Amino acid sequence: MLPRRLALAGLPALIAAPLRAEPARDGFRRRWAEFRDRFLAPEGRVVDTGNGGISHSEGQGWAMLCAARADDRAAFERLYAWTMRVLKRPADELFAWRFRPEAGVDDPNNATDGDIFIAWALLEAGDRWGRPEWQAQGAAMARDILQRLVRPAGDHLLLLPGLRGFERPGQIVVNPSYYAFPALRALALAAPDPAWFQLVVDGLSLLRRGRFGRWRLPPDWLAWTRGEGRLAPAQGWPARFSYDAVRVPLYLAWAGLTEEPGVTGPARFWQEHAPRMLPAWTDLSNNQLSPYPASRGTAAIAQLSRESAGLSGLSRAARSAPLHGEDYYSSVLVLLVDLAALDRGMS
C-alpha cells in the first residue's frame, strides 16, 4: 500500500503543473476529420457503431477533447450543444450517461469518466477560443465530481463510476479505467483542492494492488471490500482485462507514469503475444485468451505501452494509417493514443 507521506517520482508535478498540450499535427487532424465524418451525426451526437448506435457521455467527452485539439470549433460547438441539450442533468453539473435513438435518455445516471472528459474538454476549449464561460463550467464540473463522486473508504478516497449503483452492502465497485490521470490534473488546476492529490495517490495504490491472473493485470471492474480494503474483480462483470481496462495503461502513460505496474504489466502481456495474435482480452480467473484478435485501437494502446515501458518502438506508420473499417470505439482509442503520444513528445 502506498504510504500517505510518499511523494512518487513525478507525482507532485502531475497535480501542480499543467500537461502542456502539443499542437495537433496533420496526421491527427486527418484522423479526427475522418472520425468526425464517420461517427458524428449532424445533430452533434457521437454514434457508437459497435453498440446499437447509442450515444454516451464518454463518447461526447472524448470527441469534444479531440475537436478542441484539432482546432475544429464548428465540430466542438455541435458536440457541446447536443450534449447540453440532451444529456445535461438538471440538478447538478453532471451528464446522463446514455442516449438511445429509439428511447432518448433512458438512464439518467451519470458516468464519471464521461463527466471527467467533458470537463477537461471545456477547460481546453475555453482557453483555446477565449470562452471563459466554458472554463467556468469545466471548473464547476470538477467541483461536482470531487464532491459527489469521491467516497472515503477507510483512509482512502475512491472514485465512484457513477452516482448510483456502485455502493453495495460491504463493497464499493470502481472502474480502474476511470482514473484518467491527465484529465484529473486539468480538473485539479481548475478547481484546486488537496483532495485531488489524495485521489491520485490512492488511485495509483488501487491500480498497484488491484491486479490479477498470470500477467497481473487490472480488471475492467474492481470491488473494494469495506473495512478490510480487500480487492477482487467485481461480481456482475466478467473477470477480464478487456475493453475498459485497456485504458489503464493509456492514461498512465499519457500522464508520464510509465514505471507504474499498470503500464509495465500490460506492456509485458502484449509483448509476449505480439509475435502471434494480439488478444482482445484475457480472463483473469483462468488466464484464458480471447479467440479473436484485438482491435486496432487496443493495438495502438499496446504499442504506446510497450514503448513507454522500453520494450519496443512506437509504430508511427501503423498509427498514421486511415481508420477505414474500424468501429467507433477502436477509432476513438487510436485518436486518444495520438494525443497521448503528442503530449509525451513521442510522435
Side-chain angles (χ1 to χ4, degrees):
M1 186 178 299
L2 209 60
R4 181 74 58 230
R5 65 182 183 276
L6 181 61
L8 293 177
L11 188 55
L14 177 64
I15 290 297
L19 181 71
R20 191 61 198 167
E22 285 293 318
R25 299 182 183 175
D26 289 344
F28 175 78
R29 291 175 187 268
R30 285 194 300 271
R31 282 187 292 283
W32 160 249
E34 182 183 356
F35 178 94
R36 177 198 63 207
D37 293 346
R38 291 182 59 202
F39 303 111
L40 181 57
E43 64 269 26
R45 73 179 184 94
V46 176
V47 179
D48 186 343
T49 56
N51 199 14
I54 71 169
S55 297
H56 35 76
S57 59
E58 178 185 84
Q60 297 301 116
W62 284 337
M64 287 168 66
L65 181 67
C66 290
R69 290 293 188 91
D71 203 24
D72 187 347
R73 183 166 180 173
F76 182 91
E77 292 192 350
R78 283 166 58 197
L79 287 156
Y80 176 65
W82 185 89
T83 304
M84 287 293 294
R85 184 177 70 253
V86 177
L87 300 184
K88 180 69 173 63
R89 291 161 50 98
D92 52 41
E93 296 299 326
L94 308 178
F95 290 81
W97 81 278
R98 183 176 64 198
F99 170 90
R100 293 189 185 278
E102 70 279 7
V105 174
D106 61 345
D107 185 348
N109 200 19
N110 75 303
T112 301
D113 64 333
D115 293 322
I116 287 171
F117 273 90
I118 291 170
W120 188 15
L122 284 167
L123 293 167
E124 288 219 359
D127 179 64
R128 178 180 295 273
W129 293 310
R131 295 291 297 268
E133 69 275 21
W134 290 348
Q135 291 181 297
Q137 184 180 3
M141 290 186 68
R143 289 189 289 271
D144 252 16
I145 289 165
L146 198 60
Q147 293 169 8
R148 294 174 177 268
L149 297 167
V150 175
R151 291 290 185 274
D155 64 349
H156 278 63
L157 294 181
L158 298 180
L159 184 66
L160 289 181
L163 279 167
R164 294 187 290 105
F166 300 99
E167 296 177 275
R168 301 175 174 179
Q171 283 188 338
I172 298 176
V173 174
V174 299
N175 187 312
S177 74
Y178 285 18
Y179 285 84
F181 293 103
L184 293 179
R185 169 177 17 212
L187 272 56
L189 289 166
D193 190 303
W196 290 113
F197 183 84
Q198 184 178 346
L199 183 66
V200 167
V201 171
D202 292 345
L204 291 172
S205 174
L206 188 80
L207 295 180
R208 286 180 164 190
R209 295 174 53 220
R211 299 179 295 122
F212 307 93
R214 171 183 168 186
W215 293 282
R216 304 291 294 159
L217 300 172
D220 290 338
W221 294 90
L222 183 65
W224 170 289
T225 302
R226 296 181 189 271
E228 305 172 18
R230 183 170 53 85
L231 297 174
Q235 294 183 350
W237 293 272
R240 290 178 177 174
F241 173 75
S242 181
Y243 301 102
D244 278 68
V246 296
R247 302 196 301 263
V248 170
L250 166 62
Y251 295 149
L252 286 167
W254 195 341
L257 298 168
T258 56
E259 296 182 4
E260 289 295 315
V263 175
T264 58
R268 287 192 294 268
F269 167 71
W270 283 317
Q271 182 79 352
E272 180 176 331
H273 296 95
R276 302 179 295 280
M277 181 189 78
L278 198 69
W281 51 260
T282 180
D283 190 313
L284 302 177
S285 64
N286 59 20
N287 303 312
Q288 178 183 351
L289 300 175
S290 65
Y292 50 86
S295 70
R296 182 178 161 201
T298 297
I301 295 175
Q303 289 179 334
L304 178 73
S305 303
R306 288 159 59 196
E307 183 182 21
S308 297
L311 297 178
S312 72
L314 189 62
S315 174
R316 297 174 188 170
R319 288 196 304 106
S320 65
L323 297 173
H324 301 322
E326 298 298 310
D327 67 11
Y328 148 78
Y329 186 57
S330 176
S331 298
V332 79
L333 289 183
V334 171
L335 289 175
L336 295 177
V337 169
D338 280 351
L339 292 184
L342 283 167
D343 286 352
R344 302 313 307 174
M346 298 167 68
S347 65

